[in-house]
Amino acid sequence: MDEAYMRLALELAAQARGRTSPNPLVGAVLVRDGAIIGKGYHTRAGMPHAEIEALRDAGGEARGATLYVTLEPCCHTGRTGPCTEAIVAAGVKRVVAAMRDPNPLVSGRGLARLREAGVEVREGVLEEEARRLNEFFIKYITTRTPFVTLKTAMSLDGKIATRTGDSRWVTGEESRRYVHELRDIYDVILVGVGTVLKDDPSLTTRLPEGGRDPVRVILDSRGRTPAGARVLKQESGAATVIAVTGAAPEENVAALAEAGAQILVCGPGPLVDLQTLLRALAERELTSVLVEGGSRVNASFLAAGLVDKVVWFIAPKIVAGETAPGPVGGEGIARMAEALELQDITVRRFAHDLCLEGYLKR
């Protein structure tokens, strides 16, 4: 039964995908005498934690109950007070946690505090599922850099565009909808200036039910983004950040700032220093980045070892052409034994397209 109730807590936590950053996704379920008496999940940073929501839902019935929570309860004061003290005060008898909090401010201290207060504690129930749910938060809180996913789409013969550069559309409507679902849960969408100059994209989330726009980041070492580009002119609750280098002409940078862009200087040049950029994004409490670049941007992130996960669409189309670009440029490897490999792979189908998702082996 512990796993069954924990699975429900995970489902509750997932309801807030893309809304709690920089906090984790957390769900909680209170059970007494075989009946669920309280449920809750963390809705966004600054709002009550899942445990508090579940305790409020249960009211006085929480005494003697078991609390199932997807992440170790906090024992420190941040945007809200410590959940451990609320759990003890409510008279909860037993706490089952899926995983320890990777935050150094907690990391076992919350469970220790509960044990000291006489609460029975079990941990590690559905831990792998809980870690996958919070992969953004775990990467961010332990490395102070965002979780990076590379998304690309190619034809059956490995092309992202034709020899003339036409790329609309490689994949079908269902695949493109899924991409917008991804944008809805990532903090940042990142492209290179080449994409802006060629396609003038909006880089927003466009779902029938609405959605949340990610922060737009443009890799633009010399500040070539037009001041009238769509990413700077549309109405959106998210900012547009232009990552330039010290080599960018001052007049270009000034024009972009005047147009409303936030400017980040990332290295002296000639290219944007990606490590510096990711650290700067983390300082802004942005925990996840969806890279939707072309072959050069993709190659740069992969070569630097900065990609955690890939989402790779394959459309049943044959483009052909020796000069038609592929999804990853750069110099490439010399030996097949040096190829980057994926693990924990899943394959999904969107109409006629296939989508392979996996994690880079380290």
Side-chain angles (χ1 to χ4, degrees), residues 5 43 47 69 95 110 122 178 199 208 224 242 248 254 266 272 337 351:
Y5 290 126
T43 57
M47 296 300 288
V69 62
V95 170
R122 182 186 178 193
Y178 180 55
D199 299 332
R224 294 187 295 143
I242 310 291
C266 301
V272 170

Side-chain angles (χ1 to χ4, degrees), residues 17-19 136 173-186 204-212 214 290 292 348 350:
R17 281 186 185 274
R19 304 300 184 268
F136 296 172
E173 185 177 342
E174 289 189 21
S175 296
R176 298 197 298 274
R177 177 188 168 91
Y178 180 55
V179 171
H180 284 277
E181 291 173 359
L182 291 176
R183 291 182 181 184
D184 184 57
I185 64 173
Y186 277 77
T204 55
T205 298
R206 299 184 296 280
L207 293 168
E209 62 273 24
R212 162 182 167 270
L290 182 64
E292 291 196 29
R348 302 174 63 183
F350 295 96

